[in-house]
Each structure stands twice: as structure tokens, then as C-alpha cells.
Amino acid sequence: MVVFAVLANEHPQFRAELPQLAAYLAAFMGLTALAALGFIGLARQRPWRGWAQAALWVALAALASLYALTRR
């Protein structure tokens, strides 16, 4: 993200791709947060650990679908 932001003035292609890169960065940060939540739930044997794991898998499937749809 930093490289794209720094080189955006020199390469117009980077400037055009910056919003999509930011969206993917946000999506993967959310996925990372869900994975961390699921891990904490499993490690501490919390009763909500199944819901956290389910949320992680649903988000992963949604992200894979989004990626597949935007790459056509």
C-alpha cells in the first residue's frame, strides 16, 4: 500500500489501482481479525468459539467469491 501511494504520481496505473488495493486490504484485515477471534475462542475453550469459526469460514467464502467475480 505504501509503495502504491508513493509511486502513484510517477505511474498512473498505480493511482488507478489504489482504491481496489485499499478495499482488498480492508477485507483481509477483517478476515485476520475474525481468524484471531476464532483462535482466541479455541485456545481458551470459549462457548462462542463455534460461532467465531463459522464467521471466519463464511467471510472467507465471501471474499473468495468477491475475488472470483472481480477477476472475470
Side-chain angles (χ1 to χ4, degrees):
M1 186 79 181
V2 174
V3 173
F4 272 67
V6 170
L7 296 178
N9 291 332
E10 295 178 24
H11 301 283
Q13 177 186 357
F14 286 175
R15 189 177 311 122
E17 293 179 2
L18 198 55
Q20 186 177 15
L21 179 65
Y24 280 130
L25 178 65
F28 278 102
M29 286 177 65
L31 189 63
T32 301
L34 284 173
L37 189 65
F39 176 75
I40 290 169
L42 285 172
R44 296 185 180 174
Q45 295 293 313
R46 299 291 186 212
W48 46 263
R49 66 185 182 265
W51 290 105
Q53 288 293 313
L56 172 65
W57 286 108
V58 167
L60 184 61
L63 189 59
S65 299
L66 174 69
Y67 183 77
L69 291 173
T70 58
R71 291 295 165 201
R72 289 185 182 189

